[in-house]
Amino acid sequence: MRKTFKYKLFRSKRTKRLHRLINVGGAIHNKAIALHKRYYRRYKKHLSYYQLRAHFAKLKRLPKYAWWKQLRAQVIQNILERIDKGYQAFFANVKARKTGKISRRVGPPTFRKVRNAKSFTMTQDGWKLLHGNRLQIHGTVYKFAKSREIDGTVKTVTIKRDPLGDLYVYFSCIVEQHPIVRILTGKS
């Protein structure tokens, strides 16, 4: 069973770096949407996740996009995965609407303002949970308000920014499900 724990990161001068990383993720998102639209206009086909991933690996090597290297490869792959899932849902919805099975409309993923980008997710690499209330992200240590212990095995760490500019860290964990013990006496 998955369980997510949410904690607020303390503000410091170092959190500017996390804001920059979220902005980089927003720029990568917009570039991927632009590539999808251009590919569909030319070939009338959906750009697969693997083609997109290979293309972004090439783009990162160019001097023009060297600033994308601030984000780790797994974070970029997660952004591309989300976009691919959005396009798959869109095309499946279009196909279902043509056959008359679904009346609900799902739109394709869209461009977003970079300053309105909200989050990035790290899976295995790029973070380390230190003792107490400390978290190391891309080599920088941050403090968070640890209100309760983290149960289970941490699988993903997500950094989210709310509209006020506050940062939160989400730990998605796999927790063992314990059976609920109920005492049944037979008397109501």
Side-chain angles (χ1 to χ4, degrees):
M1 179 173 101
R2 281 209 177 235
K3 191 172 184 182
T4 302
F5 298 93
K6 174 184 174 182
Y7 303 101
K8 185 173 182 177
L9 282 168
F10 291 134
R11 283 184 182 242
S12 68
K13 291 180 181 177
R14 286 173 273 183
T15 56
K16 287 182 182 178
R17 184 161 190 254
L18 292 177
H19 286 287
R20 247 191 334 267
L21 292 175
I22 291 172
N23 291 342
V24 169
I28 290 171
H29 172 90
N30 287 341
K31 183 68 174 176
I33 298 292
L35 285 172
H36 262 284
K37 288 183 181 284
R38 191 176 319 135
Y39 190 83
Y40 190 76
R41 229 176 308 148
R42 284 188 181 171
Y43 304 110
K44 300 293 183 210
K45 288 183 182 178
H46 168 66
L47 189 62
S48 77
Y49 165 70
Y50 298 104
Q51 291 171 320
L52 196 60
R53 196 171 96 181
H55 188 71
F56 267 79
K58 290 176 188 174
L59 284 179
K60 268 179 42 175
R61 291 187 209 114
L62 298 175
K64 182 180 177 182
Y65 300 107
W67 57 282
W68 285 357
K69 292 180 184 175
Q70 295 175 35
L71 280 180
R72 302 277 173 114
Q74 287 183 349
V75 177
I76 294 172
Q77 289 170 10
N78 183 270
I79 293 168
L80 300 178
E81 253 179 60
R82 289 180 187 182
I83 291 170
D84 186 57
K85 284 181 184 177
Y87 272 109
Q88 285 178 1
F90 168 68
F91 287 121
N93 186 270
V94 167
K95 191 175 185 179
R97 284 183 59 134
K98 284 181 181 177
T99 60
K101 292 181 181 176
I102 297 177
S103 60
R104 192 180 113 233
R105 184 176 179 161
V106 175
T110 59
F111 292 107
R112 62 172 70 140
K113 292 182 181 175
V114 172
R115 69 174 184 262
N116 290 344
K118 292 182 177 78
S119 68
F120 67 92
T121 301
M122 298 169 286
T123 51
Q124 303 148 354
D125 189 29
W127 65 274
K128 184 178 182 183
L129 193 58
L130 304 174
H131 58 84
N133 64 338
R134 297 184 186 332
L135 174 69
Q136 183 177 357
I137 300 171
H138 297 307
T140 308
V141 178
Y142 301 95
K143 285 179 153 183
F144 61 94
K146 192 171 184 182
S147 56
R148 61 188 180 279
E149 289 299 318
I150 300 170
D151 296 335
T153 307
V154 179
K155 289 297 179 182
T156 63
V157 175
T158 303
I159 305 296
K160 285 192 179 183
R161 175 171 59 192
D162 69 357
L164 296 175
D166 294 330
L167 293 171
Y168 294 90
V169 60
Y170 291 79
F171 296 99
S172 180
C173 305
I174 293 183
V175 181
E176 290 182 24
Q177 192 171 1
H178 300 290
I180 299 172
V181 178
R182 294 182 185 159
I183 300 171
L184 301 174
T185 61
K187 300 176 184 176
S188 57

